[in-house]
Amino acid sequence: MGETSGYQLGVIGALALSVASSVAIVICNKALMSNLGFPFATTLTSWHLMVTFCALHVAQRFNVFETKSIEMKTVVFFGILNGVSIGLLNLSLGFNSIGFYQMTKLAIIPFTVLLETIFLKKQFSQKIKLSLFVLLLGVGIASITDLQLNFVGSVLSLLAIATTCVGQILTNTIQKRLNVTSTQLLYHSAPFQAAILFVSGPVVDQCLTKQNVFAHKYTPVVLAFIILSCLISVSVNFSTFLVIGKTSPVTYQVLGHLKTCLVLGFGYTLLHDPFTERNILGILVAIFGMGLYSYFCTHENKKKQNSDLLTSSQIKERETTPLLLVHHQDKDNHEVKKSNGIINKDSLV
């Protein structure tokens, strides 16, 4: 029971850290990009990952965590895949309307469920699927405004969905299969994610903004917000790997939509963004769906734990019961043979 309580506290802590850091970095980046005119999102992400790796390297030097060797081919593939998925998501936002981009993000959950069902043979109950549908419906109502389709944007969105889903599923499976922590996996993969984005970031940003990131005027205020964003990103990247490792890619996506609702709420209260009754209705429906998902997941996990305990107790009974039966059977046979006067050497133990 103590281990279970500790695990649950760890999950709650990871979820809280992920929500708090993500909302903080969104507000920081919104100020940096909208108010200070720094629109280079992909390049900024590469700087985030570089700072994250440096922070983890310093922590490793001070023995905060132990490194564990991971096959280089796995780390390189994983790092490049995650870097490409970030670039594709940014390109999708650039070539699509806001509404279609939100649809792309919503499609990640059902696509992840489909991939895990087909390739990992994972089963999702009807209650879980219903709660996910309610959640997605609420986020859709709250955030989707217009749907403008174009061929290039649609292809980029499909590629972004596929790479994001595979990357998040791999985050979970690699940690469990290789028995590595979220910190160890992030430490090994961050340099490759940063490298792919550092090379492609300026090109992607040039394509989207028609501006050169290296020609931008870096005022002290802009530099201060960039540094703050990079520092917050260490917590964001760490909590992302932590949440996916402790829960599942689907749960992480559910958490991501909660963040969307919180960002909308903070935008209205703190930044005075325009807000409608539709936004409020969507947020309430999404929170209700997230509550259903959390309840059904907790209920099914408890049922699974009880089933595992029952199974283990049955195995122990099978291991001990035959010995008792043999002992009683030998004793009964001994009494029968003694009464018949046919005691032999085999019955005298």
Side-chain angles (χ1 to χ4, degrees), residues 168-196:
Q168 291 179 359
I169 291 172
L170 282 177
T171 302
N172 181 267
T173 54
I174 288 175
Q175 289 186 53
K176 292 181 177 178
R177 181 170 57 87
L178 300 181
N179 194 28
V180 295
T181 65
S182 56
T183 309
Q184 290 167 338
L185 180 58
L186 179 59
Y187 177 71
H188 284 288
S189 63
F192 299 101
Q193 294 184 58
I196 192 72

Side-chain angles (χ1 to χ4, degrees), residues 49-65 67 183 186-188 190-191 234:
L49 289 163
M50 288 179 184
V51 172
T52 299
F53 172 72
C54 291
L56 290 176
H57 187 67
V58 171
Q60 189 268 331
R61 287 288 186 181
F62 283 96
N63 297 319
V64 175
F65 70 96
T67 58
T183 309
L186 179 59
Y187 177 71
H188 284 288
V234 176

Side-chain angles (χ1 to χ4, degrees), residues 1 298-314:
M1 289 296 292
T298 303
H299 181 70
E300 292 186 6
N301 286 337
K302 286 182 178 178
K303 186 185 292 185
K304 183 180 178 182
Q305 288 173 2
N306 292 334
S307 177
D308 291 341
L309 288 173
L310 182 62
T311 303
S312 62
S313 64
Q314 288 175 344

Side-chain angles (χ1 to χ4, degrees), residues 37-339:
F38 186 85
F40 310 107
T42 310
T43 303
L44 182 62
T45 304
S46 72
W47 297 345
H48 287 170
L49 289 163
M50 288 179 184
V51 172
T52 299
F53 172 72
C54 291
L56 290 176
H57 187 67
V58 171
Q60 189 268 331
R61 287 288 186 181
F62 283 96
N63 297 319
V64 175
F65 70 96
E66 294 182 2
T67 58
K68 186 174 183 179
S69 63
I70 304 176
E71 186 182 9
M72 183 58 66
K73 182 172 65 175
T74 300
V75 173
V76 172
F77 173 74
F78 176 75
I80 292 176
L81 178 68
N82 278 280
V84 169
S85 73
I86 295 171
L88 287 171
L89 280 171
N90 287 334
L91 281 172
S92 173
L93 178 59
F95 281 88
N96 292 306
S97 64
I98 297 295
F100 193 78
Y101 175 72
Q102 289 297 334
M103 282 292 295
T104 298
K105 293 177 69 177
L106 290 178
I108 291 174
I109 283 184
F111 200 84
T112 302
V113 170
L114 179 64
L115 288 180
E116 289 194 313
T117 302
I118 294 174
F119 295 103
L120 301 181
K121 308 301 180 184
K122 189 172 181 179
Q123 299 297 320
F124 294 88
S125 68
Q126 294 299 323
K127 292 179 179 179
I128 292 291
K129 292 177 182 177
L130 174 63
S131 64
L132 290 175
F133 173 76
V134 173
L135 169 73
L136 297 178
L137 178 64
V139 175
I141 293 173
S143 60
I144 294 176
T145 52
D146 59 325
L147 290 176
Q148 298 175 6
L149 302 179
N150 64 81
F151 179 74
V152 175
S154 300
V155 171
L156 288 172
S157 291
L158 288 173
L159 291 174
I161 291 168
T163 52
T164 301
C165 291
V166 173
Q168 291 179 359
I169 291 172
L170 282 177
T171 302
N172 181 267
T173 54
I174 288 175
Q175 289 186 53
K176 292 181 177 178
R177 181 170 57 87
L178 300 181
N179 194 28
V180 295
T181 65
S182 56
T183 309
Q184 290 167 338
L185 180 58
L186 179 59
Y187 177 71
H188 284 288
S189 63
F192 299 101
Q193 294 184 58
I196 192 72
L197 289 176
F198 187 76
V199 173
S200 63
V203 178
V204 172
D205 289 333
Q206 176 87 31
C207 178
L208 296 177
T209 65
K210 310 302 180 186
Q211 300 179 47
N212 188 342
V213 64
F214 300 110
H216 187 77
K217 185 178 180 181
Y218 291 89
T219 64
V221 177
V222 170
L223 288 174
F225 270 87
I226 289 174
I227 293 171
L228 177 62
S229 178
C230 289
L231 292 176
I232 299 173
S233 73
V234 176
S235 178
V236 173
N237 289 321
F238 173 71
S239 62
T240 296
F241 279 65
L242 190 63
V243 169
I244 296 177
K246 284 185 172 292
T247 56
S248 70
V250 174
T251 300
Y252 175 72
Q253 284 300 320
V254 169
L255 189 69
H257 292 306
L258 169 63
K259 297 172 191 174
T260 300
C261 294
L262 290 175
V263 168
L264 288 173
F266 277 114
Y268 174 70
T269 55
L270 299 179
L271 305 176
H272 304 292
D273 289 342
F275 218 60
T276 65
E277 293 179 356
R278 176 181 169 178
N279 296 132
I280 297 173
L281 174 63
I283 289 174
L284 292 175
V285 173
I287 291 174
F288 177 69
M290 191 201 65
L292 285 177
Y293 177 80
S294 301
Y295 173 77
F296 290 140
C297 280
T298 303
H299 181 70
E300 292 186 6
N301 286 337
K302 286 182 178 178
K303 186 185 292 185
K304 183 180 178 182
Q305 288 173 2
N306 292 334
S307 177
D308 291 341
L309 288 173
L310 182 62
T311 303
S312 62
S313 64
Q314 288 175 344
I315 292 173
K316 289 180 180 178
E317 287 180 3
R318 288 174 186 170
E319 291 175 349
T320 57
T321 301
L323 295 175
L324 294 173
L325 287 176
V326 168
H327 174 72
H328 286 298
Q329 286 173 354
D330 288 344
K331 186 175 180 180
D332 292 340
N333 290 335
H334 178 76
E335 294 295 333
V336 171
K337 291 177 182 178
K338 183 177 180 182
S339 64

